[in-house]
Amino acid sequence: MSDSPQAPSEPAINQTAERFKAEGNQLHQQGQFRAAYEKYTEAIKEDPTNAIYFANRAASSLALKEFLDAAADSLKATELDPQYAKAWSRYATACFNLSSWTKSINAWKKALKCLPSESESTETDKRMRSQFTAGLKKSQEASATPAFQASTFQGGTPNQMPWHKAEAMEAGLRAVGKMSSAFVILEAYRSFKEGVDAMKILEQKKMNGQLAWVGKQNALELISNGVMEDPRIFHFDSNDWMTKYNNQVIFEAQMHGAWTEGGANIVKKESVERLKKEGWDKVRPALATTVRAWIMCGFQSTTFGNNKLALEYFTRAEEVLKWGSNLWGKVSAKNRGVVFEKTFIRAVSRMRLKAMHEYRAQGQKDCPVTFNDIAKYSEEIVAEVEANAPGKVGGPVEISPATMGSFYMYPRAEALSTLGWCHTQRGLAATTAEDAQELFTKSAMYYMQAAEGLPLDDEYAAVYFKAALEAHWWMPESQSIGITLSILARVQESFQAYQKLWEHSPIAKERDPQIHHALGFGLDCFAALAQGKIVDSDIVKPMAVRGKDKWAGPEVVYI
């Protein structure tokens, strides 16, 4: 027997896991990223200690643009192998796409540190160093870019805020039984304010010799409810609002055992496993807190102009909610929670649609969403709302005006207006007059339906009426001045109604000049009629359209 020490034995290779990995690699190379993801998942089941399997699955998630899952898997790979350069680079890439600039920068630096020195580098190492350096520079530049200024209420005179005006109007509106956007914004305000008040209670106290957070555990629920009821309610009432909010989310995530890493795939897998061990009393708040945190991340991303990131969060939230709704459809709402109810999912779909719309409207080259995608999704929302409307089989029998607005009228109207926008964009790009006429006609129809589906005193009713009017202006076979004036009358009616409540609004600076321009055009038309310059049968358009109106015939009068 030898007295010399033996080298430690290498861990046995799991051949089954390696086979799954090889199959995953082949599928990934073929561009079948979802199938590759599943193969890597099988490999992880066989050997959850292998960093390569997690890093490879992260690569598939990156290809699928599922950045939350990619971040979780690549981070797990670095925990299993802290010197794994590719894992750090994938974590850096995922964090970059989640706008987590600091994490991305740090991860790129760690990836570079894991590479051999220049003198010992292979050609592959040199290529990776070049890629990692470029990634680091990109993250640093993004970090240095000034943040987009949010279009939202920040402070302001209390009497000017729509929710305070709504409080003053509430009793009178209820007395006459009239539907109003005041009910919607007021309900949103009450939820939001209660949540913010709960958030402000959070504090650190010394317990058993250690600092611990102490506070209410339902602030996130209330704040997210308010935002989902009417996104316009979001406002800061203090300079440290976001700091307090972030602390509250961390506190609630810890208290409820929420998922703080990973996306839909990880949550779906682990929630089923946790449910078997822990039951609904533990899993329900964990799921709800996770989803609500994603929703708020998505909403804040939209508010600050990062619709790419917003789409990631809303898509993952909707995926988990629809999956859970199907899987646990027969489980009582008391057990599974309200987040799996149709109205809740619809509210998330509404927010996701807005992110899709605005992402596409920004014209970014990396936008994966097409007009067809947006139109189809809008149609699905309209169909779902109409199929589950109050009075329909499966729909509620009786609901409050606020609920009717937040979860039925507004999602439907916004989806219809988005259809109007899609058809307008297609119409502007049309190559024949026939196609343009059909597209603009549909656009006007959708915008009119959207406007008429809202309370008349909502600012967006006027905005949608105005958009319908613009669609008429772009038509090759435009309508007579009579049609124009009839739509302008609806704009005027809504304008007068919304001023009582929405005079001060996040969109006021953009909204009012457009509405005033349209109403001014109407006055010019009436003056021209009175002076005999035009007659009722004339096709009349504003001077601003002239030169851009490629289908206009000689009969069009511009004033």
Side-chain angles (χ1 to χ4, degrees):
M1 182 180 291
S2 170
D3 292 328
S4 61
Q6 294 184 352
S9 60
E10 292 289 330
I13 296 175
N14 187 315
Q15 296 298 334
T16 303
E18 283 295 296
R19 176 169 56 81
F20 282 129
K21 184 194 80 170
E23 292 172 356
N25 289 347
Q26 185 175 5
L27 289 165
H28 188 94
Q29 290 168 4
Q30 294 171 351
Q32 299 183 52
F33 304 122
R34 180 65 65 195
Y37 181 98
E38 298 302 332
K39 290 296 182 181
Y40 295 136
T41 299
E42 293 299 320
I44 290 169
K45 287 179 182 178
E46 292 291 330
D47 182 4
T49 65
N50 192 308
I52 294 174
Y53 303 158
F54 283 97
N56 284 11
R57 192 167 73 170
S60 292
S61 291
L62 286 173
L64 291 164
K65 299 187 183 303
E66 295 175 350
F67 303 116
L68 290 168
D69 285 314
D73 276 344
S74 52
L75 184 61
K76 178 66 176 179
T78 65
E79 292 171 357
L80 292 169
D81 183 358
Q83 299 304 310
Y84 194 176
K86 280 187 179 180
W88 281 114
S89 74
R90 286 167 189 168
Y91 183 60
T93 302
C95 289
F96 177 85
N97 282 282
L98 292 170
S99 298
S100 297
W101 315 128
T102 301
K103 288 182 179 180
S104 182
I105 290 168
N106 291 337
W108 283 122
K109 289 179 178 178
K110 288 179 179 178
L112 286 164
K113 194 174 181 180
C114 290
L115 293 175
S117 64
E118 289 279 2
S119 60
E120 298 176 345
S121 292
T122 64
E123 288 302 315
T124 299
D125 294 331
K126 291 177 182 178
R127 281 197 301 272
M128 285 198 292
R129 179 174 283 104
S130 176
Q131 292 169 0
F132 296 173
T133 301
L136 174 60
K137 182 181 178 182
K138 191 175 179 181
S139 295
Q140 289 171 330
E141 289 173 349
S143 177
T145 302
F148 178 88
Q149 293 300 309
S151 175
T152 184
F153 291 111
Q154 297 190 39
T157 304
N159 291 337
Q160 294 180 340
M161 297 297 101
W163 42 91
H164 293 121
K165 290 184 177 182
E167 281 186 309
M169 297 165 60
E170 183 182 19
L173 289 169
R174 291 195 185 282
V176 298
K178 184 178 180 181
M179 181 58 191
S180 168
S181 60
F183 293 124
V184 179
I185 193 63
L186 185 55
E187 186 69 18
Y189 169 66
R190 287 167 175 162
S191 298
F192 187 82
K193 184 179 185 300
E194 186 179 353
V196 171
D197 289 344
M199 177 182 81
K200 291 179 179 178
I201 293 172
L202 184 69
E203 61 179 340
Q204 281 190 314
K205 288 186 176 181
K206 211 166 209 180
M207 302 178 69
N208 300 322
Q210 293 184 329
L211 282 175
W213 288 107
V214 178
K216 291 190 174 182
Q217 299 178 27
N218 66 338
L220 176 60
E221 175 186 347
L222 292 163
I223 291 171
S224 58
N225 280 350
V227 167
M228 294 170 78
E229 286 159 352
D230 193 326
R232 292 170 291 189
I233 193 56
F234 187 70
H235 63 282
F236 304 137
D237 60 1
S238 64
N239 292 331
D240 61 350
W241 196 99
M242 284 304 303
T243 299
K244 289 180 177 179
Y245 171 79
N246 289 333
N247 288 337
Q248 181 70 34
V249 173
I250 292 170
F251 166 68
E252 291 195 33
Q254 291 173 342
M255 296 302 296
H256 296 310
W259 283 264
T260 56
E261 297 286 349
N265 292 318
I266 289 174
V267 171
K268 288 191 292 185
K269 174 181 176 293
E270 294 184 1
S271 61
V272 173
E273 296 170 352
R274 285 178 60 177
L275 190 57
K276 294 176 183 177
K277 299 175 183 177
E278 303 171 18
W280 278 113
D281 286 345
K282 294 287 187 181
V283 175
R284 180 178 59 254
L287 279 168
T289 303
T290 301
V291 168
R292 287 180 184 276
W294 286 352
I295 291 167
M296 288 302 297
C297 282
F299 172 75
Q300 289 167 15
S301 298
T302 300
T303 302
F304 288 96
N306 191 341
N307 291 294
K308 177 181 179 180
L309 180 57
L311 192 55
E312 164 78 7
Y313 281 113
F314 290 140
T315 299
R316 302 307 154 229
E318 186 185 57
E319 182 180 342
V320 168
L321 294 175
K322 288 186 174 180
W323 165 83
S325 178
N326 290 328
L327 182 64
W328 299 312
K330 295 183 179 180
V331 177
S332 69
K334 180 180 178 181
N335 276 331
R336 67 181 187 177
V338 298
V339 297
F340 294 107
E341 295 298 294
K342 289 178 181 178
T343 48
F344 192 97
I345 298 173
R346 187 181 305 142
V348 176
S349 298
R350 172 190 177 188
M351 299 171 89
R352 180 171 180 251
L353 177 62
K354 181 182 179 184
M356 293 170 71
H357 178 176
E358 294 189 357
Y359 192 5
R360 183 68 192 178
Q362 286 174 339
Q364 296 182 14
K365 293 181 180 179
D366 66 342
C367 180
V369 183
T370 66
F371 287 125
N372 285 338
D373 294 333
I374 297 172
K376 182 181 178 183
Y377 191 60
S378 299
E379 289 168 350
E380 289 172 357
I381 291 175
V382 172
E384 191 277 328
V385 173
E386 292 178 349
N388 294 285
K392 294 277 188 177
V393 177
V397 177
E398 187 175 347
I399 56 176
S400 70
T403 299
M404 183 66 187
S406 294
F407 300 106
Y408 293 89
M409 297 174 73
Y410 283 72
R412 178 179 178 273
E414 288 176 18
L416 286 167
S417 74
T418 304
L419 279 168
W421 176 79
C422 286
H423 282 78
T424 291
Q425 300 307 308
R426 289 169 171 167
L428 292 171
T431 56
T432 68
E434 291 77 13
D435 287 345
Q437 182 68 27
E438 180 182 357
L439 290 163
F440 287 127
T441 299
K442 287 184 177 179
S443 174
M445 176 192 71
Y446 285 127
Y447 274 124
M448 289 297 291
Q449 289 177 354
E452 290 168 348
L454 288 175
L456 188 64
D457 65 1
D458 193 285
E459 58 186 334
Y460 279 103
V463 171
Y464 297 158
F465 281 130
K466 165 65 163 50
L469 183 62
E470 289 179 340
H472 278 284
W473 290 340
W474 292 119
M475 290 179 190
E477 298 176 18
S478 300
Q479 303 296 322
S480 67
I481 186 64
I483 299 295
T484 295
L485 292 177
S486 68
I487 299 175
L488 278 168
R490 302 303 304 275
V491 176
Q492 175 72 31
E493 187 181 9
S494 180
F495 170 73
Q496 292 175 337
Y498 82 65
Q499 282 290 301
K500 300 173 185 176
L501 187 63
W502 296 101
E503 179 183 1
H504 300 280
S505 159
I507 68 165
K509 288 183 179 179
E510 177 185 358
R511 175 201 69 199
D512 289 347
Q514 294 182 24
I515 300 300
H516 291 152
H517 174 264
L519 296 177
F521 170 71
L523 291 175
D524 291 341
C525 288
F526 280 118
L529 282 168
Q531 295 166 10
K533 294 180 179 179
I534 59 174
V535 295
D536 290 342
S537 59
D538 281 339
I539 297 171
V540 183
K541 299 183 182 182
M543 192 64 71
V545 174
R546 190 172 189 175
K548 303 175 185 177
D549 192 6
K550 62 182 179 181
W551 307 112
E555 72 281 3
V556 176
V557 178
Y558 295 97
I559 62 174

